[in-house]
């Protein structure tokens, strides 16, 4: 049987022809052994020391690709045919979500947590179809091109390894604005986003306090694997504009400890095991303290997040570089039965004592509206 083509893109880099897939829960050391890998890790994947999300373990996988180079502009946006706008359903309705917000506020008042990210998953039926490339799955390249036109993002990504490829399949398309981890030599950095509004004037004191709180959590995460005294906040509460909204973004950077990075020309085999254990899942989409926040996530959210709020990106073991985005603004598709599939999209908000339940629901609507519109059949850029 002829294998269907597999490909991946991330922030201007494109790969073709996946040649193997590894389970990062068992073999994270493969990411340091050579080659270029594209990574998709579910939020529930127990990679981190605080990574147990209520006994709902997810997957973390990486595909090594034979060909990697710069991405060329793609004009496939007009090919995308998604669900009807009315077909989408939410894992939590407005009332249920607002009760979850109130529950988090109760836990903040009790001193159990400071902040928790509460998310819901939107889903719509989307059957398998035959693409021009021959894969009997929705056209991930067309959706990625559509988002690139209608919602360009600094860490836009897509990874599509069809089931007919002979490898473990994946179908993920993301318009993420947030870097989870970047690695260049021994320099490790992260860029947590907390605080979202339609305009700069809409950002509040609650947004700024939440960003500072999560930035401190990310700083503590990086300190687990970086040299003492090397971790610093290089940018705090910067405003970034994205299509239809603005974010508050901070930057944290440190230098890997020698025991983590290794010495000489080679990498320590357990580099990625230790880095992921220290930082996963990303702090901006879990909460603080992370372990307590994850317990509340498991209690309040009725369905797993999957790759939403996990990690999507690449690791170039030969160059000693990596970029992984937080899997927000992310679509993923799976075949539920022969010929029948579901397209999913996640949206959420960070909850603190200063949260208003109605306003937090509105933030999840704001984050979803543009992208779900683009992915829907009648959507327009």
């Amino acid at each position: 049987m002829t294998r269907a083509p597999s490909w991946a893109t991330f922030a201007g880099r494109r790969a073709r022809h996946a040649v193997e897939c590894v389970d990062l829960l068992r073999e994270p050391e493969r990411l340091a052994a050579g080659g270029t890998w594209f990574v998709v890790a579910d939020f529930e994947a127990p990679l981190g020391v605080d990574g147990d999300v209520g006994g709902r373990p997810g997957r973390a996988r990486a595909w090594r690709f034979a060909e990697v180079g710069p991405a060329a502009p793609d004009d496939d946006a007009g090919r995308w045919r998604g669900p009807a706008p009315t077909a989408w359903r939410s894992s939590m309705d407005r009332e249920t979500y607002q009760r979850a917000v109130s529950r988090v506020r109760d836990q903040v008042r009790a001193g159990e947590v400071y902040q928790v990210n509460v998310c819901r998953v939107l889903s719509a039926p989307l059957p398998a179809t035959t693409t021009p490339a021959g894969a009997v799955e929705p056209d991930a390249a067309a959706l990625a091109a559509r988002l690139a036109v209608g919602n360009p993002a600094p860490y836009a990504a897509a990874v599509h390894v069809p089931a007919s490829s002979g490898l473990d399949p994946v179908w993920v398309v993301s318009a993420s604005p947030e870097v989870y981890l970047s690695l260049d030599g021994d320099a490790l950095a992260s860029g947590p986003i907390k605080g979202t509004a339609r305009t700069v004037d809409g950002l509040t004191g609650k947004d700024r306090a939440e960003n500072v709180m999560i930035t401190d959590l990310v700083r503590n995460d990086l300190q687990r694997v970086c040299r003492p005294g090397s971790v610093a906040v290089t940018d705090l509460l910067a405003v970034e504009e994205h299509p239809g909204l603005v974010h508050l973004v901070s930057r944290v950077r440190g230098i890997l400890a020698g025991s983590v990075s290794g010495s000489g020309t080679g990498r320590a085999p357990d580099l990625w095991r230790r880095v992921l254990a220290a930082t996963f899942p990303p702090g901006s989409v879990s909460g603080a303290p992370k372990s307590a926040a994850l317990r509340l996530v498991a209690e309040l959210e009725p369905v797993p997040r999957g790759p939403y709020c996990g990690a999507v990106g690449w690791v170039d073991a030969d160059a000693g570089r990596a970029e992984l985005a937080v899997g927000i603004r992310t679509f993923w598709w799976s075949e539920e039965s022969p010929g029948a599939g579901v397209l999913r999209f996640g949206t959420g908000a960070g909850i603190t004592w200063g949260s208003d339940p109605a306003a937090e629901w509105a933030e999840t609507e704001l984050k979803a509206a543009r992208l779900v519109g683009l992915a829907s059949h009648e959507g327009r850029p």
Side-chain angles (χ1 to χ4, degrees), residues 101-102 104-105 108 114-116 206 210 349-360 363:
V101 174
S102 297
V104 172
R105 293 185 73 251
V108 174
Y114 304 110
Q115 192 262 17
V116 177
K206 179 261 182 186
E210 183 183 4
I351 312 305
T352 68
W353 174 247
S355 291
D356 172 73
E360 300 296 356
E363 181 173 319

Side-chain angles (χ1 to χ4, degrees), residues 67-353:
E67 299 177 12
V68 184
D74 198 333
D75 60 358
D76 293 337
R79 287 207 318 257
W80 174 251
R81 291 295 180 267
T86 56
W88 294 90
R89 298 292 180 265
S90 175
S91 60
M92 286 191 275
D93 60 18
R94 183 196 298 263
E95 181 179 350
T96 303
Y97 188 86
Q98 292 184 176
R99 282 201 305 267
V101 174
S102 297
R103 168 68 173 152
V104 172
R105 293 185 73 251
D106 289 343
Q107 291 297 290
V108 174
R109 181 170 51 203
E112 297 296 322
V113 292
Y114 304 110
Q115 192 262 17
V116 177
N117 214 63
V118 179
C119 301
R120 55 196 181 96
V121 174
L122 308 179
S123 60
L126 185 63
T129 56
T130 302
T131 72
V136 187
E137 294 180 4
D139 193 342
L143 178 57
R146 188 168 182 78
L147 298 187
V149 173
N151 198 96
Y155 303 104
V159 186
H160 185 199
V161 179
S164 57
S165 69
L167 298 175
D168 199 14
V170 64
W171 196 109
V172 171
V173 177
S174 178
S176 178
E178 181 176 359
V179 60
Y180 157 47
L181 290 176
S182 68
L183 180 66
D184 189 352
D186 290 345
L188 184 68
S190 185
I193 289 177
K194 294 313 297 180
T196 301
R198 291 188 183 276
T199 65
V200 174
D201 292 341
L203 294 168
T204 66
K206 179 261 182 186
D207 293 316
R208 288 181 280 275
E210 183 183 4
N211 187 290
V212 170
M213 194 181 305
I214 295 304
T215 299
D216 189 53
L217 171 68
V218 171
R219 182 178 60 83
N220 287 335
D221 282 352
L222 265 57
Q223 284 177 336
R224 296 179 180 182
V225 289
C226 289
R227 298 175 192 170
S230 72
V231 178
V233 178
T234 59
D235 204 356
L236 184 64
L237 301 177
V239 175
E240 284 190 3
E241 296 187 4
H242 296 273
L245 47 78
V246 297
H247 288 308
L248 288 176
V249 185
S250 296
R251 306 285 177 184
V252 186
R253 183 180 184 274
I255 302 300
L256 287 175
S259 61
V260 177
S261 64
S263 59
T265 58
R267 286 291 197 184
D270 65 347
L271 182 151
W272 283 105
R273 185 184 300 275
R274 295 180 65 177
V275 168
L276 293 171
T279 62
F280 196 85
S284 63
V285 289
S286 50
K290 192 181 287 187
S291 57
L294 292 175
R295 287 194 293 271
L296 269 177
V297 166
E299 171 193 325
L300 297 172
E301 297 183 15
V303 300
R305 298 183 189 179
Y308 169 62
C309 292
V312 181
W314 57 265
V315 174
D316 185 338
D318 298 325
R321 298 182 60 219
E323 279 192 316
L324 300 172
V326 180
I328 56 175
R329 316 292 195 271
T330 295
F331 294 90
W332 67 106
W333 180 88
S334 59
E335 190 173 31
E336 305 295 304
S337 61
V342 174
L343 185 66
R344 294 180 172 88
F345 179 85
T347 184
I351 312 305
T352 68
W353 174 247

